[in-house]
Amino acid sequence: MENEWAVVVLAAGYGTRLVKDIRADPAPLHKPLQYLPKALLPIGGAPLLNHWMNQFKACPLITQTYLVTNEKFHEQFVEWSTSPTINIPSHRIINNHTKSNENRNGAVVDLKLVTDTCAEEIGSRHVLCVASDLLLYDDFSLADFLATTMAKKDSHGAILYYNVSSEDAKKRGVVTTDESGRISTFREKPQDLDEGLLHKASPAFYAYSQSSIKLLSRYVGECTKLEEVDAPGKFMAWLIHQKEIIIYGHKISGRFDIGNLKQAKETMAHYSSVTEHCCARAALMGNPSDGFNGATLALLIKNFKATVTIQENSIDETNKDCNNQSIHLIPHPVLDNYTFDNLQDLHDKTLVTGYYGGLRLIHATCKKFFELAGDQIMRRGFVIKYDTNIPRGVGLSGSSAIVTAAFRALLKFHHLTLGALGLCLNTLPEVILTTETRELNISAGLQDRVVQSFGGLVYMDFHQDHFDLKNHGKYECLDMNLLPRLYLAYNTKVGGESGKVHAPVKQRWLDGDEEIVKRMKELGANTLKGVNLLTKKKYAEFASLMERNFTLRREMYGDECVGDKCVALVEMAKTKFDLVCKFSGSGGCFVCMVGGGNAGGELSSEVLGRVEVEMGELGFKFEELLV
């Protein structure tokens, strides 16, 4: 219990500023909101507090949640707490019995009411105090915050802060920190700030150790005026100056604070849409043994990415259907375009984009997501669209990038986690794969989906024993700093559909062809060797294994499949520039690195220019690989 946390949500305010704004607003759209507590305002299709509850449930350190409110809103919060997705015991929804803003207790007194009323149940847990009209930006990790807050032995709590202008800081609590990150001062709405500087504003989100909470009674006993207990930061500001109490700061990127209608609209607008990205994949070693119970080493590259955006259906005065659950899949203006100027235009564009755009991938992902999420899905309609700049048909995992980005976006839009769907990072790749293989009959393997799920640089062992034991492969994320300088060379006219490329070899492997089986085993074994070489930064030997990877690929698939231009590129790069090249995927794109005495090094600008010219003559674009 000593390392556990109890959350106290402060929800006893009356929202007077917000109600005043709503009543003064001539538009009727937001009128119903005046009867809701701010904590239950609909944000992104769910009550604001649901966003916090998702974070609380995802954090194993948090074992109890309490909420304090007033007589006016108590019944609404009790009803909210009984929802299957919330499920807070009714005795933890505490009524302070105030009936108006004029006779309110003040946030500090309300916090003490909870810790006194539930003292036995809270026990020795630390206490996290959260204002109910607050949301933090999406990059905030509650689990990381709590893990680091009490990791320092002398810590008695923590405050969040973010940088704001002096004008904004005058409306907020402002802190200063010393070199160790300890909070030095905390002032509420100071007016004597340096105008040209950024200041550290602190939201009403405070972590208290149990030793700090024990001082709460003393503070409330000494401070009897409403202005001394009204803002939750007042207690923290006092606490900082107590002997032997040390409070640390934790920087965040920002927050949403719903005090008035303007802020409420801004927050609603932000949460009405989500955007997710997924980068292209490049295999460094082992491919294509991933489809043959082998092992691979691959990484995500920032040169190219797929993007999926989901926008909640807009509701305005011309569209008053607040229950609009319709779903709209938006075709890509280029990749899903079936209108052409003439037959020549049709021919030329088909050579670039193929016969199938990405909309079918979005369609299949939505179907798969519904089957997994079931009645956990929020009944909110939306528009979903995608974009991608991943070159088509060159083995950079363009289709799986769209599916992965779409799946993440759907999760986020519906406020769900992988765990809620019975998934984890180890099992997500199989879902992405079956979306393509079973729904759309696309021939593919797990490698791309694994690295796009985990991110970064990943070693993947696909030996059947791992699947028999755990229903997934063995996956290990590696330090990106181990990588040498890498480059890309690609040509969209010499690639091919991965399924068609691998099908003949796959059949030979299934038939037990000794030459194929032997070479696939060597590819897998060389991957582990490559990982060991990277950890020691033996780049010359790693380059030799990359070269061997291409040789084995060429021996199994033959020059007709590999392609004359691809063979010519590899030979030219090695002979003229001591560049080692191997396929990043099914074909059409190469990962390259300097071999020889300068193995893993950077090409000079002069040499880089010459390489670009030489490869351009073969129809390939050449650029640095971005990690």
Side-chain angles (χ1 to χ4, degrees), residues 317-343:
E317 291 311 303
T318 61
N319 175 20
K320 298 181 180 180
D321 180 11
C322 296
N323 295 313
N324 184 4
Q325 298 178 28
S326 61
I327 309 299
H328 305 272
L329 279 58
I330 306 300
H332 192 278
V334 175
L335 302 177
D336 298 300
N337 179 29
Y338 292 100
T339 300
F340 308 96
D341 294 339
N342 49 50
L343 282 176

Side-chain angles (χ1 to χ4, degrees), residues 49-65:
L49 264 184
N50 286 35
H51 296 267
W52 279 118
M53 290 303 299
N54 288 339
Q55 289 220 40
F56 299 158
K57 290 180 178 180
C59 182
L61 293 175
I62 292 177
T63 54
Q64 293 176 351
T65 301

Side-chain angles (χ1 to χ4, degrees), residues 163-316:
N163 292 330
V164 297
S165 67
S166 57
E167 182 180 355
D168 196 14
K170 291 176 182 179
K171 308 171 188 175
R172 307 187 183 281
V174 176
V175 302
T176 59
T177 57
D178 64 18
E179 293 181 354
S180 69
R182 178 178 174 177
I183 300 295
S184 306
T185 64
F186 185 127
R187 296 194 294 160
E188 283 284 356
K189 301 178 181 179
Q191 300 301 305
D192 57 341
L193 299 171
D194 289 338
E195 296 296 329
L197 299 177
L198 290 176
H199 301 275
K200 298 172 180 176
S202 178
F205 182 101
Y206 308 117
Y208 299 103
S209 70
Q210 187 55 226
S211 57
S212 296
I213 286 294
K214 289 178 180 178
L215 296 174
L216 189 56
S217 294
R218 176 182 155 194
Y219 176 78
V220 173
E222 294 177 359
C223 304
T224 57
K225 296 179 180 179
L226 179 60
E227 58 265 27
E228 295 175 310
V229 295
D230 200 20
K234 292 288 188 177
F235 172 55
M236 182 61 85
W238 174 85
L239 197 62
I240 288 168
H241 297 291
Q242 302 310 300
K243 187 178 179 180
E244 299 180 355
I245 293 294
I246 297 176
I247 305 295
Y248 284 98
H250 184 94
K251 188 175 182 180
I252 59 174
S253 59
R255 69 170 180 189
F256 293 100
D257 185 10
I258 302 177
N260 53 45
L261 182 57
K262 181 177 180 290
Q263 292 172 330
K265 288 180 178 180
E266 290 171 351
T267 306
M268 290 174 180
H270 174 82
Y271 282 90
S272 69
S273 69
V274 299
T275 298
E276 286 290 322
H277 308 282
C278 185
C279 292
R281 180 273 307 139
L284 291 180
M285 197 73 66
N287 61 308
S289 74
D290 54 301
F292 303 82
N293 298 136
T296 60
L297 176 67
L299 74 158
L300 291 190
I301 62 174
K302 294 182 179 179
N303 303 64
F304 311 107
K305 68 180 179 181
T307 300
V308 173
T309 299
I310 300 179
Q311 174 70 52
E312 186 174 21
N313 289 338
S314 61
I315 301 172
D316 53 34

Side-chain angles (χ1 to χ4, degrees), residues 361 364-365 368 403 431-440:
L361 299 169
T365 307
K368 173 67 75 172
V403 174
V431 172
I432 304 301
L433 178 63
T434 55
T435 300
E436 298 175 73
T437 56
R438 295 179 186 175
E439 299 294 331
L440 301 171

